[in-house]
Amino acid sequence: EGQKKLYEIADLVLDNCVPPGDGMLQIGGELTGAASTISGCFIVNLMATEAMKIATEHGVKLPVYFSQNIDGFDNESLYKRYEKRIKHL
């Protein structure tokens, strides 16, 4: 029996719609410019935000970390909440 394709063994497969070879550009005769990194990050972000939306709809208060580049937000409560789980805090 030969190698199986992912779709033959997985319950769910998300197609990132990247062309074969994962490159978007030909430069000097070589395929480069991997598209799977961008599409993969996008897909994971969509799954995470959808899970957050569903959790919120079920009454879960999400511990959202805010970027330090945004004025007016403070993450001190999160630091205190997770300080025993994250050694560098």
Side-chain angles (χ1 to χ4, degrees):
E1 187 175 318
Q3 296 277 335
K4 291 188 176 187
K5 301 283 186 183
L6 181 60
Y7 71 87
E8 295 174 310
I9 60 172
D11 291 329
L12 177 67
V13 177
L14 299 176
D15 185 357
N16 64 7
C17 298
V18 173
D22 192 22
M24 300 299 288
L25 301 169
Q26 283 280 344
I27 298 176
E30 301 294 332
L31 188 60
T32 189
S36 62
T37 302
I38 295 168
S39 63
C41 289
F42 182 68
I43 290 168
V44 168
N45 189 46
L46 287 176
M47 291 188 307
T49 54
E50 184 64 19
M52 292 169 69
K53 182 176 115 182
I54 293 168
T56 299
E57 289 170 354
H58 284 86
V60 175
K61 173 70 174 123
L62 300 173
V64 176
Y65 182 86
F66 293 97
S67 169
Q68 298 302 293
N69 296 322
I70 302 173
D71 292 333
F73 289 98
D74 182 5
N75 291 306
E76 277 306 312
S77 63
L78 285 179
Y79 295 150
K80 289 187 188 307
R81 181 176 176 181
Y82 295 107
E83 67 186 349
K84 292 181 179 161
R85 295 172 67 181
I86 303 173
K87 69 178 184 177
H88 64 274
L89 286 180

